[in-house]
Amino acid sequence: MAGFYLFAAAVLLLPWLGIDPYFITVVGVAAGLHIILAVGLNLLMGYAGQISLGHAAFFAIGAYASAILTTRYAWPGLLALAAGLVLAGSIAWLLARPILRLHGHYLAMATLGFGVIAHVIMVQASGWTGGPDGLGGIPPLNLFGWVVDSDTRWYAVMAAATLLALWLSLNIIDSRIGRALRAVRGSEFAAQIMGIDTARAKTQVFVVSALFAAFAGSLFAHQQSFVSPDSFNLAISVELVTMVVIGGMASTFGAAFGAIALTLLREGLVVFEDYEMLIHGALLMVVMIILPQGLFVGIGQGLRRVLALVLSRQP
Amino acid sequence: MSSDPEAASVTPLLAVTGLCSGYGPVRAVEQLDLHVMPGERVALVGGNGAGKSTLLHTLSGLHPARAGTIRIAGQDSTRWPAHRIVAAGLCQVPEGRQVFAPLSVEDNLRLGAYSRRDTEGVRRDLEQVYTLFPILAERRQQRAGTLSGGQQQMLAMGRALLGRPRLLLLDEPSMGLAPLLVEEIFRVIVALNEQQGVGILLVEQNARAALAIAARGYVMENGRIVKTAPAAQLLADDAVRRAYLGG
């Protein structure tokens, strides 16, 4: 948990370091969202070893649930958020059994299909979703009378939400279920011999992972006050997978680190305009070639090696 | 100890009748009958491809049975999922150890206790496994993948013991181990059986070593049991000697 407190301290200190407030609020809030998404996906990918190329769909379910229920039916934000969680969790639970029987490329294809279907629904069911034009006018989140209507307040809310996600993830991994997930990743066969109901373990983690995404989606809808299908397309799903992989699989802080790195990268590359995607892709390739174990894990190992070398040189 | 379930008043711990199992057109297990009484030590020997591992996988619920019944302490477990079979006390030590390489020795052992909820009992059993295999206690925080083959076999056995088995299914525990280590492993199997009353079904290609510690033995060929007798009798049997004991 030392890493968690360190991270919490960093989140609290960041606004006082005299960095450009735009950077703190806008980039910080985006990074927080990505951390929640990546940490949730990492439970599924990094720990249980199951890929999902359709994770943006759960992100979308949370976002659209909040958007539709608060604008069309005037639900309070927190209730809509809860409804989004229930909906995403239920869909994940229904999908999990048939989908998680698949492995490798087949699982990738099936989750990809799910993401595409979700996107088509967002575009076509315009009566509900507003279609390709999206849905605007989402009221700010009201937390028991405290209205989250400024960038500073959003930073506070996102900081709390991010820390909650990290704390939950760390606790899940350290629990009996976490051990079961790592066993499933190691060898599903051996996990079954241990008496682990592997289908159930995979279903649970798929649902948890979907809940993280839907939670992020609801916050996103309120923060942007506007949602459209573009925010939840295949590219977003792929980017989420990239965050987990680039940070270092099976490491909560690795996923968080990957989320921050990609958020900053996207921000930093804006100056290159048309070449943004080109440089983005090239950087990812270079990182994967040099540090296949991921940035966070790889840099950690590198530092330890340098430290050992320095210590051994001393007389 | 009686070897005939019909004559004994005790219910067999494991009773298999007419079991068939296979893969596609391959019939790996054909009309197989077998039983193990509570606390009994039984060896199942046979060559490569006799269907021994398929049999164990079917018993553990990892592979579906095509026909026949499997009963655990009288209850029909033929269609039970694997986790329910483990909870009923049938634990397998798989071929090739199958330890979780990136996890620590202790996490591996704790996974063996996955189906149990009695934290205190698990802690006691963990200490007991460490007493049984002191090397595992020394390396409890080490990653299981860094252990030697013999140590991994001990870990796989310790892990199965944490499931608190009534019957331990061992699939080729001697495979790839030096003779001295095989002796050590087999000594532990006997100790478990004698001290804790754990029933043993030992599946081995190393027929001599397996039959030497078993009370009763089965010889399996082409998916069928071709001979069953007290282990000492099998060791002396001419046909068995020629086929499995090197003359």
Side-chain angles (χ1 to χ4, degrees):
Chain A
M1 281 319 238
F4 176 76
Y5 294 117
L6 213 65
F7 191 89
V11 169
L12 288 177
L13 280 177
L14 203 58
W16 314 104
L17 294 181
I19 307 169
D20 180 3
Y22 160 82
F23 194 77
I24 299 294
T25 50
V26 177
V27 182
V29 166
L33 266 179
H34 289 151
I35 290 173
I36 300 170
L37 287 163
V39 163
L41 184 58
N42 178 51
L43 287 173
L44 180 70
M45 275 182 59
Y47 286 99
Q50 314 293 317
I51 195 167
S52 170
L53 281 176
H55 225 56
F58 294 115
F59 184 38
I61 290 169
Y64 273 98
S66 279
I68 294 170
L69 291 173
T70 55
T71 57
R72 295 191 199 275
Y73 302 97
W75 280 33
L78 283 180
L79 200 62
L81 184 147
L85 291 179
V86 170
L87 184 64
S90 311
I91 291 176
W93 187 77
L94 287 174
L95 270 178
R97 291 254 166 179
I99 255 191
L100 294 175
R101 293 171 68 143
L102 305 172
H103 296 268
H105 304 325
Y106 302 101
L107 180 60
M109 288 292 291
T111 53
L112 186 79
F114 170 60
V116 170
I117 290 169
H119 192 256
V120 168
I121 292 174
M122 283 176 248
V123 174
Q124 296 297 329
S126 49
W128 280 6
T129 63
D133 298 335
L135 208 59
I138 302 164
L141 194 60
N142 185 328
L143 297 172
F144 309 106
W146 189 66
V147 182
V148 190
D149 54 3
S150 72
D151 284 350
T152 330
R153 287 185 172 190
W154 264 114
Y155 182 84
V157 168
M158 203 54 84
T162 307
L163 289 173
L164 175 71
L166 283 172
W167 182 81
L168 278 174
S169 168
L170 290 170
N171 275 287
I172 289 170
I173 292 152
D174 212 28
S175 69
R176 181 167 170 273
I177 293 168
R179 270 198 298 278
L181 292 180
R182 284 181 284 168
V184 168
R185 187 186 179 208
S187 154
E188 232 176 297
F189 166 78
Q192 281 181 310
I193 285 180
M194 297 302 99
I196 295 168
D197 185 345
T198 53
R200 186 154 165 247
K202 288 197 286 186
T203 302
Q204 284 171 337
V205 72
F206 194 63
V207 169
V208 169
S209 186
L211 291 179
F212 272 64
F215 178 58
S218 285
L219 294 180
F220 176 76
H222 284 289
Q223 194 250 339
Q224 298 281 314
S225 81
F226 170 78
V227 291
S228 80
D230 285 348
S231 305
F232 313 102
N233 58 21
L234 174 62
I236 303 294
S237 286
V238 173
E239 191 157 3
L240 292 177
V241 170
T242 314
M243 286 174 188
V244 174
V245 174
I246 209 147
M249 295 251 267
S251 157
T252 299
F253 290 110
F257 189 84
I260 296 170
L262 253 67
T263 312
L264 292 181
L265 190 64
R266 210 202 262 171
E267 202 64 29
L269 290 179
V270 169
V271 291
F272 294 103
E273 290 175 11
D274 290 350
Y275 298 100
E276 184 192 334
M277 285 315 284
L278 192 72
I279 298 170
H280 191 233
L283 272 175
L284 294 187
M285 274 161 61
V286 170
V287 168
M288 280 299 103
I289 290 166
I290 300 174
L291 288 173
Q293 67 274 60
L295 273 176
F296 184 76
V297 179
I299 290 172
Q301 285 171 351
L303 282 179
R304 236 167 287 151
R305 218 169 295 153
V306 170
L307 201 67
L309 203 70
V310 170
L311 289 176
S312 68
R313 286 251 174 103
Q314 270 164 8
Chain B
M1 190 152 293
S2 170
S3 64
D4 181 4
E6 303 300 324
S9 57
V10 196
T11 319
L13 196 50
L14 174 71
V16 178
T17 43
L19 189 69
C20 300
S21 186
Y23 304 87
V26 181
R27 298 169 157 197
V29 174
E30 270 286 285
Q31 288 294 328
L32 186 135
D33 295 338
L34 171 151
H35 71 270
V36 181
M37 301 304 290
E40 201 185 11
R41 241 171 19 232
V42 176
L44 177 84
V45 300
N48 226 343
K52 305 189 298 295
S53 290
T54 308
L55 170 64
L56 286 193
H57 287 184
T58 311
L59 294 181
S60 284
L62 301 168
H63 193 76
R66 284 184 179 166
T69 55
I70 304 166
R71 285 175 189 280
I72 300 172
Q75 276 190 295
D76 188 344
S77 71
T78 319
R79 305 266 165 250
W80 286 4
H83 57 95
R84 191 162 168 205
I85 292 173
V86 173
L90 210 79
C91 297
Q92 195 183 143
V93 182
E95 185 177 359
R97 355 282 184 214
Q98 301 268 3
V99 298
F100 301 106
L103 302 193
S104 72
V105 167
E106 182 138 334
D107 274 352
N108 265 274
L109 291 172
R110 285 194 180 280
L111 271 167
Y114 184 79
S115 54
R116 294 170 58 184
R117 294 286 187 174
D118 54 324
T119 323
E120 192 48 36
V122 170
R123 199 191 54 75
R124 263 201 314 274
D125 288 357
L126 198 58
E127 286 315 311
Q128 203 180 1
V129 166
Y130 284 143
T131 317
L132 201 62
F133 302 111
I135 188 76
L136 296 184
E138 268 173 51
R139 318 223 148 158
R140 64 171 83 187
Q141 295 310 334
Q142 207 169 312
R143 284 157 49 113
T146 62
L147 300 179
S148 72
Q151 290 162 356
Q152 288 191 12
Q153 184 63 50
M154 293 176 196
L155 179 56
M157 285 174 64
R159 192 177 60 176
L161 286 177
L162 272 158
R164 212 170 245 182
R166 285 193 284 174
L167 176 64
L168 202 55
L169 308 176
L170 294 127
D171 196 353
E172 306 271 3
S174 78
M175 195 173 69
L177 298 186
L180 213 61
L181 272 169
V182 174
E183 228 170 84
E184 163 85 11
I185 296 285
F186 278 34
R187 189 185 56 72
V188 172
I189 294 171
V190 173
L192 280 174
N193 174 255
E194 285 177 351
Q195 289 162 19
Q196 298 178 31
V198 180
I200 303 286
L201 179 60
L202 175 58
V203 172
E204 266 291 347
Q205 274 195 67
N206 187 345
R208 190 189 303 275
L211 289 171
I213 65 157
R216 216 153 48 78
Y218 290 94
V219 180
M220 191 169 177
E221 263 173 33
N222 297 323
R224 295 168 187 273
I225 299 293
V226 293
K227 196 163 274 184
T228 171
Q233 207 172 311
L234 286 178
L235 274 170
D237 187 291
D238 277 344
V240 175
R241 289 177 77 97
R242 265 197 306 279
Y244 302 107
L245 304 174

